[in-house]
C-alpha cells in the first residue's frame, strides 16, 4: 500500500473492533505501523476460574501454548515485547472466581499462572514499560495484581476506577504521590466471605467485629489518600457505609464533580451531615449526583450560599420522593440541568408530585435547559385498566401546561419510565384514526418556545416489518404532529427493552416531512438521561 501515512492512519482510526485492527495489522507494513498503537492502546487483563474449566497451562518444555488463559496470554505478550508496551495508555484488570468448588489441580495450575503473571507485570513496570499509561480500571481485581499496578503506576495515573471488596488491602495510605483527576470507587461488601459458624452465631459476630475494626482502618487510609489527591476533579463513591468518615476533613481545591451512589448506612444522619460539610468545603462543585439522598432524616442536606449558585447540574435518583425534597430543590439557584429517576417503576411518581416538582424547578435568570423526568404511573399506564385509558391524555395536557409555564427555557428533555399507554397499537402505522396517543404527547408540549430535542423511552414507532412506503408515511405523520413545537429539530423514540433508538428529524418547508435514522442507545442515554443512571457503577 502506497497511500500517504495520514490516510492509512485515518482508515485505521475508523476500525472500532479489536479483531478488525488485528486483521488490518497483517495487511502491510504501513497498516501494521498504524494499527498496532490502536490495537494495544487499551489493554484488558481479565480471566475467570469456573468449575469444570478445561483450560490448561503448557507442559514444561512445550514450544507451543495450546490453551492459555486470556489473562496469561496478554501479560506474556506485553512482557516479551517492550515495543508494544510503549503504546499502552489504559489498563483494565478483572478477576472472577465464579465457583469455589473448582478442581484442586485446576486451581493449583491457575494460581501458578497468576504467580508467573505477577512477576512478569512487576518486571514490565520496573523497566518503565508502561510509561504512557494514565488510566487504570480494577474490577474485583487480584489483590497482588492491583497492588503491583498501583505502587508502580499511581504517580502517573489520571483516571482510576476501582470496584472491589478488598479496597482495605490496597496501598491507600497517602504514602504514594497522586496526580489523579478522576476517581471512581465502589466498595463491595465482604461480610459474605467471613468463614466460621452459622450466621449471627458467636463466631460470626466476632469475625464481624474484627471486620468492622479493619473497615475503620481502611476508611482512614482512604481518607489519607483523598487528602493527597489535590488534582482531583471528579469523585465518585458508592457502597460504603462510612461516607462521612471518608470525606471528613478532605479538601480538594480542583473538585468539579461529586457523585454519590447508594450508601448502606442505617445512621443516615451521619451521611447527610458529612455530605453537607463536604459540600460546604468545596464551593467549586458544579455537578452533584445523588442516589437515595436526601432521605427522611432529622438532618437537612443543606447547601452553603456559595454552592447554591455554583452547582449547575443536579442528578437525583430516589425510591420515593421525600417530604423535604422540594425544600431541598429550592436551595439550588443556578441549575441549568436537572435529571430525576425513580428506582421503583411500578407505582411511579404521582401526578401531583410531578406538577409540584415542576413548580420548584422554576428558576430566575437563564433557567433549566437540560431536563429528564419520569412520568406518573397513570400516564405511563402501568396501573390502568382498559377502561381507564382515556385518563393519560388529560394528565399529559396538565403536565404540558405546567411545563410551558414554569420551564420555558428547557432545550433538551428526556422522558423516562413510559409503559403501557404508549405501547398501545404501536405496531400499526400512524393514520388519522390511530394517531391519538402520539398526538397527545405532541399536543402536550405544543407551543413550548425553546424545546429543541426530545427523547421518550418507549416502543413508539410502527413495526419494523412494515413496508418502506408505510413506514415513510408514518415518519412524515410523526414529523407533522410534532411540528407544533416551533424550535423542535429532532425527537427520539427509545425502546429500552430491546435497546432500539430511532431519531426523527423534522424537515420544515412547504410541506413538513420527517427523516429517520437509527441511533446508538448509549448516545441517547448520554444526551438525554445520564451516565449516572445507565452505567451501573452506582449499583452494588
Amino acid at each position: 500500500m502506497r497511500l500517504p501515512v495520514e490516510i492509512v492512519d485515518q482508515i485505521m482510526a475508523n476500525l472500532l473492533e479489536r479483531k478488525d485492527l488485528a486483521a488490518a495489522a497483517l495487511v502491510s507494513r504501513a497498516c501494521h505501523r498504524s494499527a498496532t498503537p490502536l490495537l494495544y492502546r487499551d489493554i484488558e487483563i481479565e480471566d475467570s476460574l469456573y468449575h469444570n474449566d478445561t483450560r490448561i497451562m503448557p507442559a514444561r518444555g512445550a514450544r507451543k501454548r495450546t490453551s492459555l488463559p486470556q489473562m496469561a496470554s496478554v501479560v506474556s505478550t506485553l512482557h516479551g515485547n517492550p515495543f508494544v508496551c510503549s503504546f499502552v495508555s489504559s489498563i483494565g484488570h478483572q478477576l472472577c472466581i465464579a465457583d469455589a468448588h473448582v478442581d484442586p489441580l485446576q486451581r493449583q495450575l491457575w494460581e501458578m499462572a497468576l504467580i508467573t503473571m505477577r512477576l512478569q507485570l512487576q518486571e514490565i513496570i520496573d523497566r518503565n514499560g508502561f510509561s504512557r499509561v494514565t488510566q487504570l480500571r480494577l474490577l474485583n481485581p487480584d489483590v497482588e495484581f492491583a497492588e503491583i499496578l498501583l505502587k508502580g503506576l499511581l504517580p502517573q495515573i489520571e483516571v482510576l476506577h476501582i470496584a472491589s471488596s478488598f479496597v482495605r488491602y490496597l496501598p491507600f495510605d497517602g504514602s504514594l504521590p497522586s496526580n489523579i483527576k478522576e476517581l471512581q470507587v465502589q466498595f463491595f461488601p465482604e461480610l459474605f466471605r467471613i468463614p466460621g459458624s452459622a450466621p449471627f452465631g458467636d463466631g460470626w459476630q466476632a469475625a464481624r467485629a474484627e471486620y468492622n475494626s479493619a473497615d475503620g482502618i481502611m476508611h482512614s487510609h482512604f481518607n489519607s489518600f483523598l487528602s493527597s489527591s489535590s488534582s482531583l476533579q471528579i469523585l465518585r463513591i458508592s457502597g460504603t457505609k462510612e461516607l462521612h468518615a471518608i470525606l471528613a476533613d478532605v479538601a480538594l481545591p480542583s473538585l468539579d464533580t461529586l457523585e454519590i451512589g447508594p450508601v448502606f448506612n442505617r445512621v443516615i444522619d451521619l451521611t447527610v451531615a458529612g455530605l453537607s460539610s463536604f459540600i460546604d468545603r468545596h464551593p467549586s462543585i458544579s455537578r452533584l449526583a445523588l442516589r437515595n439522598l436526601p432521605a427522611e432524616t432529622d438532618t437537612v442536606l443543606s447547601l452553603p450560599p456559595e454552592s447554591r449558585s455554583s452547582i449547575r447540574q443536579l442528578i437525583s435518583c430516589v425510591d420515593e420522593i421525600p417530604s423535604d425534597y422540594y425544600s431541598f430543590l429550592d436551595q439550588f439557584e443556578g441549575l441549568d440541568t436537572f435529571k430525576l429517576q425513580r428506582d421503583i417503576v411500578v407505582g411511579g411518581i404521582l401526578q401531583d408530585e410531578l406538577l409540584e416538582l415542576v413548580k420548584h424547578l422554576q428558576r430566575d435568570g437563564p433557567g433549566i435547559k437540560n431536563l429528564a423526568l419520569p412520568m406518573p404511573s397513570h400516564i405511563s399506564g402501568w396501573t390502568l385498566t382498559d377502561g381507564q385509558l382515556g385518563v393519560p391524555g388529560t394528565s399529559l395536557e396538565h403536565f404540558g401546561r405546567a411545563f410551558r409555564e414554569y420551564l420555558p427555557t428547557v432545550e433538551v428533555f428526556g422522558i423516562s419510565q413510559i409503559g403501557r399507554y404508549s405501547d398501545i397499537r404501536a405496531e400499526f402505522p400512524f393514520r388519522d384514526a390511530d394517531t391519538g396517543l402520539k398526538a397527545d404527547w405532541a399536543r402536550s408540549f405544543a407551543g413550548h418556545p425553546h424545546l429543541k430535542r426530545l427523547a421518550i423511552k418507549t416502543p413508539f414507532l410502527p413495526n419494523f416489518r412494515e413496508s418502506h412506503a408505510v413506514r415513510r408515511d408514518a415518519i412524515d405523520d410523526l414529523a407533522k404532529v410534532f411540528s407544533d413545537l416551533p424550535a423542535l429539530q429532532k425527537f427520539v423514540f427509545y425502546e429500552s427493552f430491546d435497546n432500539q433508538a430511532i431519531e426523527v428529524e423534522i424537515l420544515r418547508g412547504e410541506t413538513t416531512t420527517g427523516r429517520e435514522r437509527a441511533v446508538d442507545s448509549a448516545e441517547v442515554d448520554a444526551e438525554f438521561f445520564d451516565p449516572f443512571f445507565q452505567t451501573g457503577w452506582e449499583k452494588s
Side-chain angles (χ1 to χ4, degrees):
M1 292 178 65
R2 297 182 179 179
L3 291 173
V5 172
E6 60 271 19
I7 300 298
V8 179
D9 288 345
Q10 187 63 41
I11 293 172
M12 296 301 113
N14 281 277
L15 299 180
L16 303 180
E17 296 291 335
R18 190 175 293 272
K19 60 182 178 62
D20 295 333
L21 284 168
L26 303 176
V27 170
S28 69
R29 288 191 179 128
C31 288
H32 185 273
R33 183 203 62 78
S34 293
T36 300
L38 298 174
L39 185 60
Y40 290 97
R41 179 178 56 193
D42 303 311
I43 293 296
E44 295 294 332
I45 305 174
E46 57 186 35
D47 198 21
S48 301
L49 181 60
Y50 291 93
H51 184 51
N52 292 329
D53 193 334
T54 58
R55 294 175 300 179
I56 59 172
M57 295 302 298
R60 180 177 295 182
R63 298 184 61 185
K64 293 185 179 180
R65 298 179 176 182
T66 56
S67 184
L68 277 175
Q70 180 187 8
M71 189 171 172
S73 179
V74 171
V75 175
S76 178
T77 299
L78 295 171
H79 180 259
N81 196 332
F83 177 70
V84 167
C85 286
S86 66
F87 297 129
V88 180
S89 63
S90 170
I91 296 178
H93 168 46
Q94 179 175 359
L95 188 64
C96 178
I97 302 178
D99 193 334
H101 305 290
V102 178
D103 178 78
L105 178 59
Q106 177 187 331
R107 178 181 287 274
Q108 184 179 8
L109 291 172
W110 187 75
E111 290 178 348
M112 289 172 61
L114 275 180
I115 293 173
T116 300
M117 287 184 283
R118 291 172 190 144
L119 293 174
Q120 291 177 334
L121 189 66
Q122 187 64 65
E123 289 179 14
I124 296 172
I125 290 176
D126 288 344
R127 70 179 184 227
N128 197 29
F130 290 137
S131 59
R132 295 187 182 180
V133 172
T134 58
Q135 298 186 33
L136 184 59
R137 300 175 305 281
L138 303 172
L139 177 58
N140 195 32
D142 170 67
V143 174
E144 292 186 45
F145 239 85
E147 186 173 4
I148 291 170
L149 289 168
L150 285 170
K151 285 186 174 180
L153 302 178
L154 191 57
Q156 68 193 57
I157 296 298
E158 296 181 358
V159 178
L160 176 60
H161 292 183
I162 298 178
S164 175
S165 54
F166 299 113
V167 176
R168 71 181 66 241
Y169 302 115
L170 301 180
F172 290 129
D173 55 4
S175 61
L176 296 173
S178 171
N179 295 304
I180 291 177
K181 296 179 180 178
E182 178 180 330
L183 176 62
Q184 177 173 309
V185 179
Q186 186 171 358
F187 296 85
F188 287 163
E190 194 182 353
L191 279 178
F192 68 91
R193 298 178 181 271
I194 294 178
S197 56
F200 307 109
D202 292 341
W204 192 89
Q205 294 289 0
R208 175 167 182 163
E210 181 180 353
Y211 172 87
N212 288 336
S213 176
D215 225 23
I217 296 173
M218 182 269 290
H219 288 126
S220 175
H221 285 178
F222 198 79
N223 180 277
S224 176
F225 172 68
L226 279 180
S227 298
S228 67
S229 305
S230 58
S231 300
L232 196 62
Q233 299 172 7
I234 299 173
L235 176 60
R236 302 183 176 103
I237 297 180
S238 176
T240 177
K241 62 180 182 297
E242 301 292 345
L243 183 68
H244 62 285
I246 288 178
L247 298 181
D249 304 322
V250 174
L252 304 169
S254 303
L255 190 64
D256 175 77
T257 296
L258 177 64
E259 297 186 2
I260 304 297
V263 287
F264 305 107
N265 187 352
R266 293 184 179 180
V267 190
I268 198 71
D269 297 82
L270 292 176
T271 297
V272 174
L275 189 57
S276 294
S277 176
F278 183 82
I279 295 174
D280 192 12
R281 298 193 305 275
H282 295 85
S284 60
I285 294 174
S286 69
R287 172 183 164 90
L288 179 64
L290 301 172
R291 192 176 183 91
N292 300 334
L293 288 171
E296 296 276 7
T297 69
D298 296 330
T299 305
V300 178
L301 183 54
S302 59
L303 301 179
E306 199 168 350
S307 296
R308 296 186 178 198
S309 56
S310 63
I311 295 178
R312 312 294 296 178
Q313 300 181 41
L314 177 61
I315 317 300
S316 186
C317 183
V318 296
D319 292 328
E320 295 181 359
I321 293 183
S323 59
D324 57 351
Y325 191 77
Y326 305 124
S327 59
F328 167 69
L329 282 183
D330 290 340
Q331 297 180 85
F332 297 88
E333 298 171 355
L335 286 183
D336 58 33
T337 297
F338 175 78
K339 299 184 179 182
L340 174 68
Q341 177 169 300
R342 293 196 61 183
D343 280 345
I344 301 174
V345 177
V346 178
I349 190 172
L350 300 176
Q351 172 81 352
D352 290 344
E353 287 180 325
L354 184 66
L355 295 179
E356 187 69 18
L357 180 68
V358 168
K359 294 177 184 178
H360 285 275
L361 289 174
Q362 187 180 35
R363 293 289 181 274
D364 295 329
I368 291 177
K369 297 184 181 299
N370 199 327
L371 179 69
L373 293 174
M375 285 292 106
S377 57
H378 57 280
I379 290 181
S380 69
W382 291 108
T383 61
L384 297 180
T385 64
D386 290 340
Q388 296 174 316
L389 291 177
V391 174
T394 302
S395 298
L396 268 176
E397 184 180 346
H398 292 163
F399 170 75
R401 190 181 306 122
F403 179 60
R404 292 190 300 271
E405 179 180 354
Y406 296 106
L407 298 172
T409 58
V410 171
E411 297 179 359
V412 179
F413 186 22
I415 303 169
S416 64
Q417 297 176 216
I418 302 301
R420 183 183 174 200
Y421 171 60
S422 52
D423 291 341
I424 306 270
R425 299 193 299 272
E427 72 276 14
F428 295 110
F430 298 112
R431 288 300 171 218
D432 293 341
D434 206 28
T435 317
L437 301 177
K438 297 78 189 173
D440 280 349
W441 287 96
R443 281 196 297 266
S444 67
F445 303 128
H448 191 283
H450 294 110
L451 188 61
K452 296 179 180 178
R453 293 181 64 83
L454 172 68
I456 303 177
K457 273 193 177 182
T458 175
F460 227 111
L461 287 176
N463 192 299
F464 283 90
R465 291 171 293 185
E466 295 287 352
S467 68
H468 175 72
V470 170
R471 187 173 179 84
R472 184 187 59 207
D473 289 344
I475 295 299
D476 288 344
D477 287 347
L478 268 175
K480 292 172 184 175
V481 165
F482 279 87
S483 63
D484 286 340
L485 282 80
L488 191 66
Q489 302 165 354
K490 298 178 181 180
F491 53 94
V492 177
F493 296 107
Y494 176 14
E495 183 181 353
S496 54
F497 183 78
D498 291 326
N499 266 358
Q500 294 185 102
I502 297 296
E503 178 186 83
V504 178
E505 180 181 4
I506 299 178
L507 304 176
R508 290 180 169 88
E510 292 183 7
T511 302
T512 298
T513 60
R515 180 167 57 199
E516 70 165 315
R517 73 180 183 98
V519 290
D520 188 347
S521 58
E523 294 179 17
V524 180
D525 280 329
E527 179 180 3
F528 293 97
F529 303 100
D530 197 87
F532 182 77
F533 302 137
Q534 307 304 329
T535 60
W537 78 263
E538 76 281 3
K539 300 175 183 177
S540 65

